[in-house]
Amino acid sequence: MILIDNNSSKALYEQIYDELTRLILSKVLKPDEKLPSVRELAAMIKINPNTIQKAYKSLEENNYIYTVKGVGNFVKDSIELRSIHIRNMEEKLSEAIKSLKELGLNDEYIIDLVRKILKPNVG
């Protein structure tokens, strides 16, 4: 279900967050489906429960899941999530473009770079 790379420079809670968003957006986890409890997931992937809690908190803050007190965490509706995810990706893309511009790269270079990413086997 959730793949963790212990050699990654990415924090464990971020990896869990990324894996759960992937499962939600690919509809492996269905809307209103209950997620494993913090302790259950911690035991499954052998990670500290605080790390799982941090990932769940981030997922809730970004509207991927919702919490029912005393019951658990549940997946939000995927149609709404898709638009949220697209908005989040637009923000990340905007930040990346801003960083490239701060390095002095011009618009044409950045556009060519995006084209190469979109069609990696061409030219």
Side-chain angles (χ1 to χ4, degrees):
M1 181 177 169
I2 294 179
L3 303 173
I4 301 297
D5 179 2
N6 291 320
N7 296 320
S8 174
S9 61
K10 190 179 273 193
L12 289 174
Y13 87 93
E14 291 175 326
Q15 291 184 53
I16 294 163
Y17 175 95
D18 290 347
E19 284 291 293
L20 286 170
T21 56
R22 179 184 62 78
L23 292 169
I24 291 167
L25 293 170
S26 65
K27 299 182 182 177
V28 171
L29 295 172
K30 308 288 185 217
D32 299 315
E33 182 174 339
K34 187 174 189 243
L35 296 175
S37 73
V38 169
R39 291 187 190 281
E40 288 170 340
L41 187 54
M44 278 192 269
I45 58 178
K46 297 176 177 63
I47 289 182
N48 186 306
N50 292 334
T51 303
I52 306 297
Q53 184 61 43
K54 189 170 182 179
Y56 277 12
K57 183 176 187 236
S58 291
L59 287 163
E60 187 168 21
E61 287 171 353
N62 290 306
N63 293 308
Y64 288 100
I65 65 172
Y66 63 95
T67 301
V68 177
K69 288 252 189 240
V71 180
N73 297 292
F74 297 85
V75 176
K76 278 203 167 181
D77 180 16
S78 59
I79 293 170
E80 179 186 345
L81 289 176
R82 183 174 163 78
S83 64
I84 291 168
H85 186 70
I86 290 169
R87 187 172 61 244
N88 289 340
M89 293 299 100
E90 286 173 353
E91 288 173 13
K92 286 184 179 183
L93 180 58
S94 178
E95 289 171 16
I97 290 170
K98 182 180 175 186
S99 292
L100 291 171
K101 287 182 146 272
E102 287 172 354
L103 290 173
L105 302 177
N106 65 34
D107 291 356
E108 286 305 313
Y109 184 89
I110 295 169
I111 290 167
D112 286 343
L113 182 60
V114 170
R115 284 190 181 114
K116 286 178 188 174
I117 292 168
L118 290 172
K119 296 182 181 184
N121 295 328
V122 177

